[in-house]
Tab-separated table of all heavy atoms in Angstrom:
chain	number	residue	atom	x	y	z
A	1401	MET	N	73.108	114.337	95.308
A	1401	MET	CA	72.975	112.881	95.240
A	1401	MET	C	74.023	112.140	96.056
A	1401	MET	O	73.950	110.929	96.214
A	1401	MET	CB	73.073	112.429	93.784
A	1401	MET	CG	74.419	112.685	93.168
A	1401	MET	SD	74.446	112.189	91.448
A	1401	MET	CE	76.105	112.698	90.999
A	1402	PHE	N	75.017	112.854	96.616
A	1402	PHE	CA	76.056	112.210	97.414
A	1402	PHE	C	75.564	112.060	98.852
A	1402	PHE	O	75.341	113.047	99.550
A	1402	PHE	CB	77.340	113.042	97.390
A	1402	PHE	CG	78.045	113.030	96.072
A	1402	PHE	CD1	77.625	113.853	95.033
A	1402	PHE	CD2	79.133	112.203	95.858
A	1402	PHE	CE1	78.271	113.849	93.810
A	1402	PHE	CE2	79.794	112.193	94.638
A	1402	PHE	CZ	79.362	113.013	93.610
A	1403	ASN	N	75.438	110.807	99.299
A	1403	ASN	CA	74.930	110.549	100.648
A	1403	ASN	C	76.083	110.237	101.600
A	1403	ASN	O	75.931	109.448	102.535
A	1403	ASN	CB	73.930	109.398	100.624
A	1403	ASN	CG	72.920	109.489	101.760
A	1403	ASN	OD1	72.745	110.544	102.372
A	1403	ASN	ND2	72.248	108.394	102.051
A	1404	VAL	N	77.241	110.853	101.332
A	1404	VAL	CA	78.421	110.660	102.166
A	1404	VAL	C	79.055	112.010	102.485
A	1404	VAL	O	78.886	112.989	101.758
A	1404	VAL	CB	79.487	109.764	101.494
A	1404	VAL	CG1	78.955	108.368	101.243
A	1404	VAL	CG2	79.995	110.398	100.199
A	1405	PHE	N	79.795	112.022	103.581
A	1405	PHE	CA	80.645	113.138	103.985
A	1405	PHE	C	82.073	112.650	103.861
A	1405	PHE	O	82.399	111.551	104.305
A	1405	PHE	CB	80.327	113.507	105.441
A	1405	PHE	CG	80.862	114.841	105.884
A	1405	PHE	CD1	80.097	115.990	105.756
A	1405	PHE	CD2	82.120	114.951	106.454
A	1405	PHE	CE1	80.567	117.221	106.193
A	1405	PHE	CE2	82.600	116.175	106.896
A	1405	PHE	CZ	81.831	117.314	106.763
A	1406	TRP	N	82.937	113.438	103.216
A	1406	TRP	CA	84.320	113.004	103.026
A	1406	TRP	C	85.100	113.139	104.330
A	1406	TRP	O	85.170	114.217	104.924
A	1406	TRP	CB	85.021	113.819	101.942
A	1406	TRP	CG	84.349	113.855	100.608
A	1406	TRP	CD1	83.988	114.964	99.898
A	1406	TRP	CD2	83.976	112.739	99.789
A	1406	TRP	NE1	83.411	114.614	98.721
A	1406	TRP	CE2	83.378	113.254	98.613
A	1406	TRP	CE3	84.056	111.357	99.936
A	1406	TRP	CZ2	82.890	112.443	97.592
A	1406	TRP	CZ3	83.568	110.541	98.924
A	1406	TRP	CH2	82.997	111.080	97.777
A	1407	HIS	N	85.676	112.022	104.749
A	1407	HIS	CA	86.547	111.996	105.926
A	1407	HIS	C	87.895	111.413	105.522
A	1407	HIS	O	87.943	110.376	104.844
A	1407	HIS	CB	85.942	111.135	107.035
A	1407	HIS	CG	84.794	111.766	107.753
A	1407	HIS	ND1	84.961	112.705	108.745
A	1407	HIS	CD2	83.446	111.594	107.620
A	1407	HIS	CE1	83.776	113.081	109.200
A	1407	HIS	NE2	82.836	112.436	108.527
A	1408	LYS	N	88.980	112.051	105.938
A	1408	LYS	CA	90.305	111.542	105.588
A	1408	LYS	C	90.547	110.153	106.171
A	1408	LYS	O	91.340	109.372	105.615
A	1408	LYS	CB	91.393	112.506	106.041
A	1408	LYS	CG	91.468	112.754	107.531
A	1408	LYS	CD	92.518	113.813	107.850
A	1408	LYS	CE	92.594	114.102	109.342
A	1408	LYS	NZ	93.583	115.172	109.651
A	1409	GLU	N	89.850	109.832	107.254
A	1409	GLU	CA	89.997	108.504	107.852
A	1409	GLU	C	89.444	107.407	106.952
A	1409	GLU	O	89.719	106.219	107.177
A	1409	GLU	CB	89.293	108.463	109.213
A	1409	GLU	CG	89.936	109.311	110.290
A	1409	GLU	CD	89.595	110.792	110.198
A	1409	GLU	OE1	88.695	111.157	109.388
A	1409	GLU	OE2	90.216	111.579	110.936
A	1410	ASN	N	88.657	107.794	105.943
A	1410	ASN	CA	88.107	106.820	104.999
A	1410	ASN	C	89.040	106.554	103.836
A	1410	ASN	O	88.667	105.882	102.872
A	1410	ASN	CB	86.747	107.296	104.493
A	1410	ASN	CG	85.674	107.185	105.550
A	1410	ASN	OD1	85.799	107.757	106.625
A	1410	ASN	ND2	84.611	106.459	105.267
A	1411	VAL	N	90.252	107.093	103.910
A	1411	VAL	CA	91.311	106.785	102.940
A	1411	VAL	C	92.436	106.123	103.723
A	1411	VAL	O	93.090	106.755	104.553
A	1411	VAL	CB	91.823	108.052	102.245
A	1411	VAL	CG1	92.916	107.712	101.236
A	1411	VAL	CG2	90.671	108.789	101.567
A	1412	THR	N	92.644	104.825	103.482
A	1412	THR	CA	93.631	104.060	104.235
A	1412	THR	C	94.604	103.369	103.280
A	1412	THR	O	94.326	103.218	102.078
A	1412	THR	CB	92.955	103.017	105.135
A	1412	THR	OG1	92.207	102.092	104.313
A	1412	THR	CG2	92.003	103.682	106.114
A	1413	PHE	N	95.726	102.939	103.837
A	1413	PHE	CA	96.762	102.279	103.041
A	1413	PHE	C	97.269	101.060	103.806
A	1413	PHE	O	97.900	101.196	104.863
A	1413	PHE	CB	97.930	103.237	102.772
A	1413	PHE	CG	97.551	104.449	101.963
A	1413	PHE	CD1	97.025	105.570	102.579
A	1413	PHE	CD2	97.706	104.455	100.581
A	1413	PHE	CE1	96.660	106.695	101.845
A	1413	PHE	CE2	97.342	105.567	99.834
A	1413	PHE	CZ	96.816	106.690	100.464
A	1414	HIS	N	96.975	99.892	103.268
A	1414	HIS	CA	97.520	98.656	103.841
A	1414	HIS	C	97.288	97.520	102.853
A	1414	HIS	O	96.561	97.674	101.863
A	1414	HIS	CB	96.901	98.335	105.212
A	1414	HIS	CG	95.406	98.246	105.219
A	1414	HIS	ND1	94.713	97.142	104.793
A	1414	HIS	CD2	94.465	99.141	105.617
A	1414	HIS	CE1	93.422	97.332	104.929
A	1414	HIS	NE2	93.237	98.546	105.411
A	1415	ASP	N	97.928	96.396	103.118
A	1415	ASP	CA	97.803	95.215	102.260
A	1415	ASP	C	98.124	95.526	100.802
A	1415	ASP	O	97.517	94.970	99.877
A	1415	ASP	CB	96.405	94.609	102.369
A	1415	ASP	CG	96.085	94.115	103.770
A	1415	ASP	OD1	97.034	93.732	104.484
A	1415	ASP	OD2	94.906	94.113	104.155
A	1416	GLY	N	99.076	96.440	100.575
A	1416	GLY	CA	99.541	96.714	99.223
A	1416	GLY	C	98.588	97.483	98.346
A	1416	GLY	O	98.616	97.340	97.115
A	1417	ALA	N	97.743	98.344	98.941
A	1417	ALA	CA	96.807	99.130	98.143
A	1417	ALA	C	96.274	100.287	98.980
A	1417	ALA	O	96.435	100.334	100.204
A	1417	ALA	CB	95.640	98.271	97.645
A	1418	MET	N	95.645	101.259	98.296
A	1418	MET	CA	94.877	102.296	98.957
A	1418	MET	C	93.420	101.872	98.999
A	1418	MET	O	92.880	101.383	97.997
A	1418	MET	CB	94.990	103.625	98.202
A	1418	MET	CG	94.129	104.738	98.794
A	1418	MET	SD	94.261	106.315	97.891
A	1418	MET	CE	93.298	105.927	96.404
A	1419	GLN	N	92.784	102.076	100.150
A	1419	GLN	CA	91.374	101.749	100.301
A	1419	GLN	C	90.546	103.031	100.433
A	1419	GLN	O	90.890	103.918	101.228
A	1419	GLN	CB	91.135	100.877	101.554
A	1419	GLN	CG	91.777	99.508	101.510
A	1419	GLN	CD	93.267	99.544	101.815
A	1419	GLN	OE1	93.720	100.334	102.640
A	1419	GLN	NE2	94.027	98.698	101.148
A	1420	LEU	N	89.484	103.144	99.650
A	1420	LEU	CA	88.480	104.190	99.810
A	1420	LEU	C	87.246	103.516	100.404
A	1420	LEU	O	86.674	102.615	99.795
A	1420	LEU	CB	88.153	104.850	98.473
A	1420	LEU	CG	89.326	105.523	97.758
A	1420	LEU	CD1	88.845	106.205	96.480
A	1420	LEU	CD2	90.045	106.522	98.659
A	1421	VAL	N	86.869	103.955	101.596
A	1421	VAL	CA	85.918	103.221	102.419
A	1421	VAL	C	84.592	103.968	102.534
A	1421	VAL	O	84.565	105.188	102.738
A	1421	VAL	CB	86.505	102.992	103.829
A	1421	VAL	CG1	85.538	102.191	104.691
A	1421	VAL	CG2	87.859	102.291	103.748
A	1422	ILE	N	83.504	103.232	102.421
A	1422	ILE	CA	82.171	103.734	102.749
A	1422	ILE	C	81.727	103.043	104.024
A	1422	ILE	O	81.713	101.802	104.104
A	1422	ILE	CB	81.157	103.440	101.632
A	1422	ILE	CG1	81.594	104.071	100.308
A	1422	ILE	CG2	79.764	103.937	102.016
A	1422	ILE	CD1	80.757	103.637	99.118
A	1423	ASN	N	81.377	103.836	105.050
A	1423	ASN	CA	80.892	103.278	106.301
A	1423	ASN	C	79.953	104.272	106.973
A	1423	ASN	O	79.750	105.375	106.462
A	1423	ASN	CB	82.066	102.875	107.213
A	1423	ASN	CG	82.988	104.030	107.543
A	1423	ASN	OD1	82.635	105.186	107.355
A	1423	ASN	ND2	84.179	103.721	108.033
A	1424	PRO	N	79.359	103.924	108.105
A	1424	PRO	CA	78.472	104.870	108.780
A	1424	PRO	C	79.229	106.117	109.224
A	1424	PRO	O	80.393	106.048	109.631
A	1424	PRO	CB	77.964	104.072	109.983
A	1424	PRO	CG	78.094	102.649	109.582
A	1424	PRO	CD	79.338	102.588	108.747
A	1425	SER	N	78.580	107.246	109.143
A	1425	SER	CA	79.195	108.490	109.601
A	1425	SER	C	79.490	108.412	111.096
A	1425	SER	O	78.662	107.930	111.875
A	1425	SER	CB	78.259	109.668	109.333
A	1425	SER	OG	78.702	110.816	110.030
A	1426	PRO	N	80.662	108.916	111.518
A	1426	PRO	CA	80.951	108.944	112.951
A	1426	PRO	C	80.124	109.985	113.695
A	1426	PRO	O	79.987	109.915	114.913
A	1426	PRO	CB	82.444	109.297	112.996
A	1426	PRO	CG	82.685	110.057	111.728
A	1426	PRO	CD	81.778	109.425	110.710
A	1427	ASN	N	79.553	110.939	112.960
A	1427	ASN	CA	78.755	111.997	113.574
A	1427	ASN	C	77.710	112.479	112.563
A	1427	ASN	O	77.847	113.549	111.973
A	1427	ASN	CB	79.644	113.155	114.024
A	1427	ASN	CG	78.898	114.138	114.906
A	1427	ASN	OD1	77.665	114.168	114.921
A	1427	ASN	ND2	79.638	114.952	115.642
A	1428	PRO	N	76.653	111.696	112.348
A	1428	PRO	CA	75.674	112.051	111.309
A	1428	PRO	C	74.969	113.369	111.556
A	1428	PRO	O	74.580	114.049	110.604
A	1428	PRO	CB	74.692	110.870	111.328
A	1428	PRO	CG	74.925	110.175	112.621
A	1428	PRO	CD	76.346	110.403	112.978
A	1429	ALA	N	74.834	113.769	112.815
A	1429	ALA	CA	74.179	115.055	113.097
A	1429	ALA	C	75.013	116.204	112.563
A	1429	ALA	O	74.489	117.167	111.987
A	1429	ALA	CB	73.953	115.210	114.594
A	1430	ALA	N	76.340	116.113	112.740
A	1430	ALA	CA	77.234	117.159	112.239
A	1430	ALA	C	77.432	117.048	110.735
A	1430	ALA	O	77.435	118.057	110.018
A	1430	ALA	CB	78.579	117.089	112.955
A	1431	ASP	N	77.595	115.827	110.250
A	1431	ASP	CA	77.827	115.615	108.814
A	1431	ASP	C	76.571	115.883	107.988
A	1431	ASP	O	76.656	116.193	106.801
A	1431	ASP	CB	78.299	114.185	108.555
A	1431	ASP	CG	79.706	113.922	109.055
A	1431	ASP	OD1	80.372	114.883	109.480
A	1431	ASP	OD2	80.130	112.749	109.017
A	1432	LYS	N	75.402	115.707	108.605
A	1432	LYS	CA	74.103	115.910	107.957
A	1432	LYS	C	73.831	114.901	106.862
A	1432	LYS	O	72.968	115.095	106.013
A	1432	LYS	CB	73.973	117.344	107.424
A	1432	LYS	CG	74.054	118.375	108.545
A	1432	LYS	CD	73.878	119.793	108.033
A	1432	LYS	CE	73.961	120.758	109.209
A	1432	LYS	NZ	73.928	122.163	108.800
A	1433	VAL	N	74.600	113.827	106.866
A	1433	VAL	CA	74.348	112.662	106.027
A	1433	VAL	C	74.692	111.429	106.861
A	1433	VAL	O	75.502	111.521	107.787
A	1433	VAL	CB	75.176	112.674	104.718
A	1433	VAL	CG1	74.687	113.735	103.771
A	1433	VAL	CG2	76.651	112.846	105.009
A	1434	PRO	N	74.109	110.279	106.542
A	1434	PRO	CA	74.300	109.110	107.414
A	1434	PRO	C	75.584	108.333	107.193
A	1434	PRO	O	75.934	107.478	108.009
A	1434	PRO	CB	73.083	108.240	107.096
A	1434	PRO	CG	72.695	108.630	105.704
A	1434	PRO	CD	73.027	110.085	105.560
A	1435	TYR	N	76.317	108.619	106.093
A	1435	TYR	CA	77.459	107.781	105.749
A	1435	TYR	C	78.721	108.609	105.511
A	1435	TYR	O	78.660	109.808	105.189
A	1435	TYR	CB	77.158	106.948	104.499
A	1435	TYR	CG	75.886	106.143	104.626
A	1435	TYR	CD1	74.737	106.513	103.925
A	1435	TYR	CD2	75.822	105.032	105.458
A	1435	TYR	CE1	73.554	105.791	104.058
A	1435	TYR	CE2	74.645	104.290	105.593
A	1435	TYR	CZ	73.516	104.685	104.895
A	1435	TYR	OH	72.350	103.968	105.028
A	1436	SER	N	79.871	107.951	105.655
A	1436	SER	CA	81.165	108.533	105.328
A	1436	SER	C	81.682	107.898	104.048
A	1436	SER	O	81.436	106.718	103.789
A	1436	SER	CB	82.184	108.260	106.445
A	1436	SER	OG	81.808	108.885	107.641
A	1437	GLY	N	82.429	108.677	103.268
A	1437	GLY	CA	83.035	108.164	102.045
A	1437	GLY	C	84.491	108.560	101.950
A	1437	GLY	O	84.966	109.438	102.668
A	1438	GLY	N	85.203	107.901	101.038
A	1438	GLY	CA	86.612	108.198	100.823
A	1438	GLY	C	86.853	108.782	99.449
A	1438	GLY	O	86.318	108.288	98.445
A	1439	GLU	N	87.664	109.837	99.404
A	1439	GLU	CA	88.048	110.464	98.134
A	1439	GLU	C	89.522	110.846	98.222
A	1439	GLU	O	89.990	111.357	99.238
A	1439	GLU	CB	87.201	111.695	97.855
A	1439	GLU	CG	87.559	112.390	96.537
A	1439	GLU	CD	86.643	113.559	96.234
A	1439	GLU	OE1	86.882	114.665	96.787
A	1439	GLU	OE2	85.683	113.378	95.460
A	1440	TYR	N	90.234	110.619	97.129
A	1440	TYR	CA	91.662	110.930	97.029
A	1440	TYR	C	91.847	111.757	95.777
A	1440	TYR	O	91.322	111.421	94.715
A	1440	TYR	CB	92.453	109.633	96.942
A	1440	TYR	CG	93.919	109.741	97.236
A	1440	TYR	CD1	94.386	110.151	98.481
A	1440	TYR	CD2	94.861	109.373	96.268
A	1440	TYR	CE1	95.745	110.207	98.763
A	1440	TYR	CE2	96.221	109.418	96.543
A	1440	TYR	CZ	96.657	109.835	97.781
A	1440	TYR	OH	98.000	109.894	98.066
A	1441	ARG	N	92.584	112.864	95.884
A	1441	ARG	CA	92.668	113.823	94.776
A	1441	ARG	C	94.056	114.423	94.663
A	1441	ARG	O	94.799	114.503	95.634
A	1441	ARG	CB	91.692	114.959	95.042
A	1441	ARG	CG	92.032	115.651	96.365
A	1441	ARG	CD	91.300	116.942	96.555
A	1441	ARG	NE	89.886	116.710	96.554
A	1441	ARG	CZ	88.989	117.661	96.321
A	1441	ARG	NH1	89.373	118.892	96.069
A	1441	ARG	NH2	87.715	117.411	96.359
A	1442	THR	N	94.379	114.880	93.474
A	1442	THR	CA	95.624	115.607	93.315
A	1442	THR	C	95.456	117.029	93.816
A	1442	THR	O	94.373	117.607	93.765
A	1442	THR	CB	96.071	115.639	91.842
A	1442	THR	OG1	95.059	116.260	91.041
A	1442	THR	CG2	96.363	114.235	91.321
A	1443	LYS	N	96.557	117.603	94.306
A	1443	LYS	CA	96.539	118.993	94.737
A	1443	LYS	C	96.478	119.925	93.535
A	1443	LYS	O	95.859	120.987	93.593
A	1443	LYS	CB	97.795	119.293	95.548
A	1443	LYS	CG	97.946	118.480	96.813
A	1443	LYS	CD	99.278	118.811	97.478
A	1443	LYS	CE	99.530	117.940	98.688
A	1443	LYS	NZ	100.849	118.230	99.313
A	1444	ASN	N	97.146	119.537	92.449
A	1444	ASN	CA	97.261	120.396	91.277
A	1444	ASN	C	96.363	119.920	90.144
A	1444	ASN	O	95.640	118.926	90.275
A	1444	ASN	CB	98.721	120.483	90.836
A	1444	ASN	CG	99.572	121.221	91.854
A	1444	ASN	OD1	99.140	122.206	92.439
A	1444	ASN	ND2	100.783	120.726	92.093
A	1445	PHE	N	96.456	120.600	89.012
A	1445	PHE	CA	95.548	120.421	87.891
A	1445	PHE	C	96.349	120.006	86.658
A	1445	PHE	O	97.463	120.487	86.452
A	1445	PHE	CB	94.789	121.723	87.615
A	1445	PHE	CG	93.925	122.174	88.759
A	1445	PHE	CD1	94.483	122.672	89.925
A	1445	PHE	CD2	92.552	122.083	88.671
A	1445	PHE	CE1	93.688	123.085	90.975
A	1445	PHE	CE2	91.739	122.490	89.716
A	1445	PHE	CZ	92.312	122.991	90.874
């Protein structure tokens, strides 16, 4: 059900916050989905 490919460029920091961005995929043929999404996660558990 996820119509996005995670790209690190979709996680940005400015204006006093972190932004998680949804936008068109920079390479939909390679990503195999039309959109990019942002996800931020901890390394540990």
